[in-house]
Amino acid sequence: MANTAPRTLYQKIWDAHVVERRDDGTCLIYIDRHLVHEVTSPQAFEALRLAGRKVRRPDLTLAVPDHNLPTTARRDGEGHRIPIKDAQSAQQLAALERNAPEFGIRYIGDADREQGIVHVVGPEQGFSLPGATIVCGDSHTACHGGLGALAFGIGTSEVEHVLATQTLLLKQSKTMEVRVEGELAPGVSAKDVVLHITGVLGAAGGTGYVIEYTGSAIRSLSIEGRLTVSNMAIEHGARAGLIAPDEKTFAYVKGRPYAPKGEEWDKAVAWWASLATDPGATYDKVVVIDAAAIAPSVTWGTSPEDVVAITGVVPSPDSFADASKRDAAQKSLDYMGLVPGQRLDSVEVQNVFIGSCTNSRIEDLRAAAAVLKGRKKADTVKWAIVVPGSGLVKAQAEAEGLDRIFIEAGLEWREPGCSACLGMNPDKVPAGERCASTSNRNFVGRQGPGARTHLVSPAMAAAAAVTGHLTDVRELV
Amino acid sequence: MEPVKEISGRAYPFGQKNVDTDVIIPSHWLKTITREGLGKGAFETLRQNPDNLFDSDEFKGSPILVAGDNFGCGSSREHAAWALLDMGIHAVIAPSFSDIFSGNAFKNGILTVVLPQEAIDRLVEVAKTDPIDIDLEAQTVTTPFQDRFTFEIDPFRKHCLMHGLDEVGLTLERGDAISGFEAEVRADRPFLAHGVDLAASA
Ligand code: SF4
């Protein structure tokens, strides 16, 4: 079927995955890659078992535990597993360890070198590819869109559907272009870009859309930076985020364990290069952002849209036009223990978390280490941890000596996992205390009951560790 | 799923109105990793009474539940359907159901039968002493005393239940189309056609 009308990147990937189109516009969409972790999969596997069903394409499925794993040592001196104290966590982890081999799925174990956060492992292994449809029972699956893949989170019943059929029934989303034009100022990272975008669009601004991030500032980002941007698409409400694959993308993917090789590689690159949005294709909505206006950013509230520049102040609830926003802002300030007009760079933090699928790749750790090198964390910072996104990131960081920089600065160097991104494993922020965190959600209780989260970039988190308060990292470099 | 054609046997003469999903399965049961075993938690609060219906020798294990208006209201938890199924209930008869509950019930192969209140009152009486019979094909509920109530059901749902098709089952019926698509991918985009080399990583 020849299609000559100009199409967007999203439309091209969609069209290439339609198995069947129904009269009501619903499509049966083929899923190329399925990532599975321990939290949202047990009941899906159980349903298959009860119905006597198989996994249709175990080779397109990859299982790895991450959410519940403690980030402390997992084996004792003799190589025996150190038992996990929380019974629920242990049960979920054991279920995945049992289910994956039973259904013929490759399982990366808790002590394997390749283990890590699903959204770090997928791209790192070359399992996530440009132009692919990728799903996972996890809302931050949009992360893989940084490679130019159509990636989104699904619920447990959909996990079951994909396992059994390798497809999903979907309706097409609307499209939005978020174009960031211009040059990013020194000290401004991919995380600041996406925090800024979230502040501009609002937490629900992308609802119903798949967003394509375009513009010279986005193209200038490394692949790891693009993964950081796309990771937070869900924080401005979008189902998925996309960045067109280019030469940088191909260079990133090439040679990874599951990446195409030889003749297939050449075919792949030719197809990937054809996916970019055609000139003249239209989006349902376009938002343009001036890259030069983006400063190192930080959240002050309990929604990722509550973003200000580090040079700014805590806003007054009265500054919001609509009543529900004013109300929400007041509740946020009460929870966060902040007052309007307070300078953000005066806010003291007791905890620092560098990690999560947003910011735990090697470049993130390098950026944090660059700030921490030769410095020490402030005494008032009680707990500061660095959690690499995978065992391979960890090994790379150690080969570069980054671990020593962190340890000498007084930070803890941990095993890979979701860690303090969410209170599902032992890494939690104590109630009432603040954390400068490189994760993606500052929701009430996300890092533990009563914990107060300020979302920042890795360099900004490192700066806060040094000074003991939120800090404009540009003052330290 | 098992095809549902006829469900007959004893029925719980329950009759209670506005039974919400917290009554069907309290929230502390949601942390489980299985769908099975939830029958133990079904109607947990009601079952704290030693004389409750659900644990009585006479009714225990009955395949049918006769309930009141607005059955299954409250949260969207699919655990409510899992819990009923796990305690052996395959059909619920009531004057009305919450939409989400009946959707979840359907997904799990539980038949929800809507009958007017008078019919429910009569069935509660009969169920106390005798079995009742639901014939999905004929869309009737009958008793040994010549009572005969007919009910409406969405033809698509009826088809799915009678053939044991859930959503996954329905898509599996499109297996040929999916295989055809996979063949196209192998030809046009071979680099997407295979992911993990299971033999190599074993
Ligand atoms: S690191 Fe956080 S956001 Fe990412 S998958 Fe884990 S819990 Fe989810």
Side-chain angles (χ1 to χ4, degrees):
Chain A
M1 185 182 61
N3 195 337
T4 48
R7 291 181 297 165
T8 59
L9 168 61
Y10 171 65
Q11 189 71 50
K12 290 181 191 184
I13 300 179
W14 177 273
D15 290 346
H17 289 87
V18 177
V19 176
E20 286 187 315
R21 198 180 302 273
R22 313 236 157 131
D23 295 340
D24 65 349
T26 310
C27 291
L28 192 63
I29 292 291
Y30 197 79
I31 302 302
D32 295 318
R33 301 290 185 264
H34 186 188
L35 290 152
V36 176
H37 64 73
E38 79 278 15
V39 181
T40 48
S41 65
Q43 272 110 351
F45 282 115
E46 198 209 9
L48 293 186
R49 201 176 288 124
L50 291 177
R53 287 176 179 144
K54 297 183 307 193
V55 172
R56 183 180 176 93
R57 294 292 304 270
D59 61 321
L60 301 184
T61 315
L62 185 62
V64 55
D66 53 10
H67 286 63
N68 283 283
L69 280 177
T71 57
T72 45
R74 291 165 190 163
R75 295 291 185 272
D76 64 18
E78 280 149 33
H80 299 123
R81 171 171 291 171
I82 298 172
I84 290 169
K85 288 201 197 80
D86 183 289
Q88 301 273 353
S89 289
Q91 196 187 26
Q92 285 194 331
L93 290 163
L96 185 61
E97 191 168 311
R98 205 172 49 240
N99 286 328
E102 183 183 328
F103 287 91
I105 295 167
R106 162 101 159 98
Y107 172 73
I108 298 179
D110 61 337
D112 289 345
R113 261 169 65 87
E114 297 90 350
Q115 183 272 332
I117 306 168
V118 270
H119 309 311
V120 174
V121 172
E124 184 175 79
Q125 291 295 319
F127 183 74
S128 308
L129 295 174
T133 45
I134 303 178
V135 297
C136 175
D138 190 279
S139 55
H140 292 93
T141 308
C143 188
H144 311 256
L147 294 172
L150 179 58
F152 49 89
I154 54 177
T156 294
S157 56
E158 292 172 304
V159 170
E160 178 193 345
H161 198 275
V162 176
L163 288 172
T165 71
Q166 205 59 35
T167 63
L168 275 178
L169 275 167
L170 295 170
K171 283 207 161 112
Q172 239 181 293
S173 302
K174 292 180 285 181
T175 54
M176 185 191 299
E177 178 187 24
V178 173
R179 196 189 316 149
V180 190
E181 281 298 350
E183 222 174 293
L184 296 172
V188 175
S189 72
K191 180 64 164 289
D192 300 304
V193 172
V194 73
L195 285 173
H196 185 89
I197 292 172
T198 306
V200 171
L201 293 182
T207 304
Y209 292 92
V210 163
I211 295 181
E212 183 179 346
Y213 304 96
T214 68
S216 52
I218 298 292
R219 280 199 303 281
S220 76
L221 295 174
S222 67
I223 298 306
E224 301 202 342
R226 295 178 190 183
L227 292 167
T228 299
V229 170
S230 204
N231 179 273
M232 289 186 66
I234 187 78
E235 304 315 330
H236 33 268
R239 181 103 204 246
L242 280 167
I243 296 172
D246 59 12
E247 293 298 329
K248 279 189 205 173
T249 320
F250 312 152
Y252 174 91
V253 174
K254 192 165 187 173
R256 293 186 181 269
Y258 299 128
K261 305 203 166 48
E263 215 176 292
E264 284 189 2
W265 171 258
D266 299 333
K267 274 197 175 181
V269 170
W271 187 61
W272 295 338
S274 76
L275 292 175
T277 296
D278 295 323
T282 53
Y283 300 89
D284 295 300
K285 189 173 179 182
V286 177
V287 174
V288 182
I289 289 170
D290 176 11
I294 305 175
S297 299
V298 54
T299 60
W300 53 266
T302 55
S303 163
E305 71 178 19
D306 299 336
V307 175
V308 286
I310 183 64
T311 49
V313 298
V314 175
S316 159
D318 299 333
S319 66
F320 296 99
D322 89 81
S324 70
K325 268 234 167 115
R326 281 200 292 275
D327 202 39
Q330 189 55 57
K331 283 209 184 81
S332 280
L333 292 184
D334 294 344
Y335 180 82
M336 293 297 291
L338 296 171
V339 291
Q342 191 174 349
R343 287 182 59 114
L344 263 306
D345 62 7
S346 73
V347 175
E348 291 182 4
V349 299
Q350 299 76 39
N351 306 273
V352 172
F353 169 55
I354 299 172
S356 88
C357 57
T358 318
N359 283 129
S360 62
R361 285 167 281 266
I362 190 70
E363 288 175 16
D364 299 313
L365 303 190
R366 286 181 191 141
V371 174
L372 288 163
K373 192 173 175 131
R375 294 192 167 107
K376 290 247 178 290
K377 83 167 172 62
D379 290 340
T380 49
V381 172
K382 295 191 285 185
W383 192 60
I385 61 170
V386 186
V387 186
S390 73
L392 295 181
V393 171
K394 183 171 188 244
Q396 173 74 27
E398 288 174 357
E400 295 179 18
L402 305 184
D403 58 323
R404 287 194 303 279
I405 295 177
F406 295 131
I407 292 164
E408 277 159 25
L411 282 73
E412 293 173 40
W413 178 239
R414 294 293 191 95
E415 298 298 322
C418 292
S419 185
C421 178
L422 91 171
M424 229 181 159
N425 57 70
D427 299 342
K428 292 184 184 67
V429 174
E433 291 190 10
R434 271 174 217 294
C435 183
S437 175
T438 66
S439 54
N440 46 39
R441 283 191 169 154
N442 51 352
F443 296 167
V444 168
R446 170 85 178 178
Q447 294 194 293
R452 295 164 167 169
T453 305
H454 294 277
L455 301 177
V456 290
S457 72
M460 289 278 285
V466 170
T467 62
H469 54 84
L470 297 173
T471 299
D472 190 338
V473 65
R474 292 172 296 191
E475 291 166 12
L476 294 187
V477 289
Chain B
M1 281 190 317
E2 291 294 309
V4 181
K5 294 202 167 81
E6 199 178 3
I7 301 166
S8 43
R10 294 302 297 270
Y12 294 104
F14 186 42
Q16 202 164 306
K17 286 189 191 349
N18 295 317
V19 173
D20 64 37
T21 49
D22 267 307
V23 173
I24 301 173
I25 185 83
S27 63
H28 66 92
W29 285 86
L30 305 189
K31 287 189 203 154
T32 163
I33 57 160
T34 65
R35 301 184 188 204
E36 284 179 322
L38 287 169
K40 285 200 289 292
F43 302 110
E44 189 173 63
T45 358
L46 301 175
R47 285 162 75 183
Q48 278 160 9
N49 175 352
D51 302 325
N52 78 84
L53 196 58
F54 299 102
D55 291 317
S56 70
D57 287 339
E58 192 174 358
F59 292 104
K60 200 171 177 166
S62 297
I64 301 168
L65 177 71
V66 185
D69 228 5
N70 200 22
F71 186 81
C73 56
S75 86
S76 63
R77 63 188 69 154
E78 200 170 329
H79 300 68
W82 298 341
L84 295 185
L85 207 57
D86 193 59
M87 67 185 286
I89 292 175
H90 292 274
V92 186
I93 310 175
S96 70
F97 294 89
S98 92
D99 280 346
I100 293 177
F101 175 80
S102 56
N104 285 338
F106 163 66
K107 258 198 234 168
N108 288 279
I110 298 174
L111 173 63
T112 51
V113 175
V114 177
L115 286 177
Q117 188 63 50
E118 308 85 71
I120 298 297
D121 294 342
R122 171 67 186 153
L123 290 174
V124 168
E125 269 318 297
V126 173
K128 283 177 184 162
T129 51
D130 289 272
I132 56 181
D133 182 79
I134 307 173
D135 184 336
L136 177 55
E137 170 95 77
Q139 296 179 214
T140 57
V141 179
T142 52
T143 73
F145 309 101
Q146 316 307 320
D147 299 285
R148 186 171 186 278
F149 305 103
T150 57
F151 61 90
E152 293 300 315
I153 181 167
D154 174 76
F156 173 72
R157 284 196 176 179
K158 180 177 174 179
H159 171 83
C160 292
L161 287 168
M162 291 200 52
H163 294 89
L165 301 173
D166 54 330
E167 281 168 18
V168 172
L170 280 171
T171 305
L172 285 173
E173 285 195 327
R174 310 304 306 146
D176 288 348
I178 299 171
S179 299
F181 183 87
E182 285 174 333
E184 270 174 48
V185 174
R186 274 196 301 277
D188 300 347
R189 295 187 295 280
F191 46 90
L192 286 182
H194 47 85
V196 176
D197 184 346
L198 291 164
S201 50

